[in-house]
């Protein structure tokens, strides 16, 4: 069986909810931001963090989620969204009127 791989580079973006011990949120936030392609967009006092991951392929996203799950202070990390497309499509300018009329 042969697996066909797209020779054009891809961009994969994932949204992850991380649940940590409340007292570990500052440490977990710092540890997440130290991971390549990871960022924390929100954190609550009860230990929930909104995290995005960006990577060149789905295996890298999966690896990053495993790393999130094994950070000290983390109880769970759940993938809630993943999107991928070619890097050239990701860089293309989008006309809002074509994709979200009346948004302006």
């Amino acid at each position: 069986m042969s697996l066909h791989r797209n020779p054009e580079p891809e961009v994969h973006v994932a949204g992850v909810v991380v649940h940590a011990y409340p007292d570990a949120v500052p440490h977990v936030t710092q540890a997440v931001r130290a991971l390549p392609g990871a960022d924390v967009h929100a954190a609550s006092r009860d230990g929930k963090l909104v995290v995005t991951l960006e990577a060149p392929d789905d295996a890298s996203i999966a690896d990053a989620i495993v790393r999130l799950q094994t950070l000290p202070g983390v109880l769970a990390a759940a993938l809630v969204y993943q999107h991928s497309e070619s890097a050239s499509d990701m860089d293309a300018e989008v006309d809002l009127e074509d994709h979200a009329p009346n948004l302006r």
Side-chain angles (χ1 to χ4, degrees):
M1 180 169 110
S2 172
L3 295 177
H4 180 269
R5 297 295 280 182
N6 186 353
E8 185 176 357
E10 293 183 334
V11 176
H12 290 250
V13 178
V16 180
V17 174
V18 175
H19 191 194
Y21 290 107
D23 60 344
V25 169
H27 169 73
V28 170
T29 299
Q30 184 178 15
V32 170
R33 288 188 171 141
L35 297 175
D39 198 8
V40 177
H41 299 276
S44 68
R45 286 187 289 230
D46 65 347
K48 293 181 179 68
L49 295 89
V50 176
V51 175
T52 55
L53 303 171
E54 187 173 322
D57 53 55
D58 54 355
S60 297
I61 292 289
D63 289 345
I65 292 170
V66 170
R67 291 186 72 188
L68 290 173
Q69 292 170 332
T70 59
L71 289 173
V74 170
L75 298 166
L79 176 67
V80 294
Y81 177 81
Q82 183 174 1
H83 175 78
S84 66
E85 60 185 80
S86 70
S88 62
D89 285 344
M90 195 69 112
D91 288 337
E93 188 170 330
V94 175
D95 183 359
L96 286 177
E97 286 303 317
D98 289 343
H99 299 285
N102 304 318
L103 183 64
R104 295 176 198 194

